[in-house]
């Protein structure tokens, strides 16, 4: 009887979520659906003419203060990091999933690879289905980075990795293998790491969080160094461009989650905007394109951002979108993940502690756009000063040097 009750509860929960997804689509402003294709086409056309939209003359004289500031900051930060680590001695092979199989993983790891190369560290991508043995022997890396997820590990010829390590220096790192929400180490995966001679773990969590949580200390006690590699903004791809009007009420480029439905229901019903990403019921042709996205973000009056429940209440991280929106100079409306208060100042983003407050703040930004620009300028300054992928890679390389 108990089993039957549990089954009925499960079915009811699924039905409720299904209804909420349908209701969200049904209430989605019709113009949001109709204008999606034209916005994508315009962004792709602008990308083809990026030499014009990103020219010094257009950006330096833009009426948009975030474009002027972002252009100057990007030039300064890129100049500071260009070839900074060309003599560090590392050669890094990064395992990257396809954009179709994991948009988030593809974005994270390709952004890291691009920035490392820019900084002078020879870095090559090991793609889904690539011959790991051949690439190891051809590129001769000193570091191999992959994820602890089986979908990654099963792609690598681990016998060839061990053979390579017999004759070459190679430090192999995988993401920290934890049970859901950092409850405990994944003991079977930790044992696998020992058997396969994994040299270190790394995590996308905040460094202070890692050093104060017993679950991470337990990994260190097992003999594995733990390195920190939080997400940041890849300013080689994400920055404001000139020549565009902020004519979109909001932009959200993200995989659909039920949290989005909860926070966006009223906004999406009352206002037209731009939504794109995997899983949305009105989208059947999503294509991942980081270069195109900055031409969409540069048209946004507000950048919407919502985190997963564990990012709000348990783990200490911000999603990559938080940094990307800031770099692009988009006024950001965000929920309240724990790490936010440590990372950005209170005047840099608009923070909502509930769906109702999320809607209220959005209405305020619609009626007082000058508030959005003022905050966006602060967030942009802060992300270029401390939170680019260059800064993350720099810290990571310094930690690698201690192994």
């Amino acid at each position: 009887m108990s089993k039957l009750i549990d089954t009925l509860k499960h079915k009811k929960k699924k039905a409720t979520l299904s209804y909420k997804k349908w209701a969200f689509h049904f209430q989605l402003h019709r113009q949001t659906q109709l204008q999606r294709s034209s916005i994508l086409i315009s962004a792709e056309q602008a990308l083809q003419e990026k030499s014009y939209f990103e020219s010094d003359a257009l950006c330096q004289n833009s009426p948009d203060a975030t474009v002027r500031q972002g252009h100057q900051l990007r030039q300064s930060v890129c100049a500071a990091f260009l070839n900074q680590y060309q003599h560090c001695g590392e050669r890094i092979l990064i395992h990257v999933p396809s954009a179709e199989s994991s948009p988030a993983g593809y974005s994270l790891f390709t952004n890291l690879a691009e920035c490392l190369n820019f900084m002078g560290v020879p870095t090559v991508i090991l793609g889904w289905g690539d011959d790991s043995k051949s690439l190891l022997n051809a590129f001769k890396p000193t570091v191999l980075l992959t994820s602890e997820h089986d979908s990654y590990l099963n792609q690598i010829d681990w016998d060839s990795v061990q053979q390579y390590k017999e004759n070459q220096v190679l430090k192999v790192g995988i993401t920290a293998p934890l049970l859901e929400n950092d409850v405990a180490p994944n003991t079977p995966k930790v044992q696998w790491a020992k058997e396969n001679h994994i040299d270190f773990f790394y995590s996308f969590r905040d460094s202070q969080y890692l050093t104060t949580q017993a679950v991470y200390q337990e990994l260190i006690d097992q003999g594995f160094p733990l390195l920190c590699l939080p997400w940041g903004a890849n300013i080689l791809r994400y920055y404001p461009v000139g020549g565009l009007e902020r004519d979109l009420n909001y932009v959200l480029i993200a995989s659909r989650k039920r949290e989005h439905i909860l926070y966006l229901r009223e906004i999406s019903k009352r206002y037209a905007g731009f939504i794109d990403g995997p899983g949305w019921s009105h989208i059947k042709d999503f294509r991942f394109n980081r270069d195109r996205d900055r031409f969409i973000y540069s048209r946004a009056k507000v950048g919407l951002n919502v985190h997963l429940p564990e990012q709000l209440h348990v783990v200490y991280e911000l999603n990559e979108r938080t940094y990307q929106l800031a770099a692009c100079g988009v006024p950001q409306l965000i929920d309240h993940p724990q790490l936010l208060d440590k990372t950005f100042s209170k005047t840099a983003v608009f923070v909502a502690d509930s769906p109702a407050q999320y809607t209220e703040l959005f209405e305020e930004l619609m009626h007082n756009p000058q508030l959005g620009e003022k905050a966006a300028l602060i967030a942009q300054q802060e992300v270029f000063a401390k939170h680019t992928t260059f800064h993350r890679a720099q810290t990571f390389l310094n930690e690698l040097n201690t192994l």
Side-chain angles (χ1 to χ4, degrees), residues 151-281:
S151 63
Y152 287 74
L153 300 181
N154 293 339
Q155 294 271 339
I156 295 178
D157 179 354
W158 289 102
D159 288 338
S160 68
V161 172
Q162 298 313 318
Q163 292 171 9
Y164 180 86
K165 292 183 73 171
E166 290 175 3
N167 301 301
Q168 304 284 345
V169 174
L170 180 68
K171 294 171 281 192
V172 180
I174 66 172
T175 49
L178 302 173
L179 298 181
E180 188 175 1
N181 295 344
D182 296 0
V183 173
N186 187 329
T187 303
K189 194 60 65 70
V190 172
Q191 184 59 38
W192 179 93
K194 290 180 178 180
E195 294 170 355
N196 286 271
H197 308 289
I198 301 302
D199 298 286
F200 65 92
F201 294 144
Y202 65 98
S203 174
F204 305 123
R205 312 288 193 240
D206 176 71
S207 59
Q208 182 178 348
Y209 176 77
L210 297 182
T211 57
T212 57
Q213 299 298 307
V215 61
Y216 288 97
Q217 184 58 49
E218 193 169 340
L219 294 176
I220 296 173
D221 293 342
Q222 292 288 329
F224 293 100
L226 181 59
L227 279 58
C228 185
L229 186 58
W231 296 328
N234 177 6
I235 61 171
L236 299 177
R237 302 274 186 169
Y238 293 96
Y239 48 88
V241 298
L244 298 174
E245 295 289 334
R246 292 203 178 272
D247 57 354
L248 299 177
N249 291 322
Y250 66 82
V251 167
L252 173 66
I253 303 176
S255 300
R256 188 199 68 83
K257 301 290 190 299
R258 62 175 177 266
E259 290 73 31
H260 291 128
I261 297 173
L262 185 64
Y263 276 81
L264 272 62
R265 184 181 292 113
E266 292 302 316
I267 294 170
S268 67
K269 181 170 60 175
R270 300 177 193 174
Y271 292 89
F274 178 81
I275 295 176
D276 200 32
W280 296 98
S281 54

Side-chain angles (χ1 to χ4, degrees), residues 326 334 397:
I334 189 172
L397 288 168

Side-chain angles (χ1 to χ4, degrees), residues 18 25 67 93 98 131 149 233 245 260 287 289 302 307 311 314 317 332 343 365 387:
S18 178
H25 173 58
V67 174
L93 183 61
S98 65
D131 185 338
H149 196 276
E245 295 289 334
H260 291 128
R287 298 191 311 277
N289 189 334
V302 179
H307 286 75
Q311 292 170 320
V314 184
E317 68 183 12
Q332 185 169 175
T343 307
L365 285 167
H387 305 301

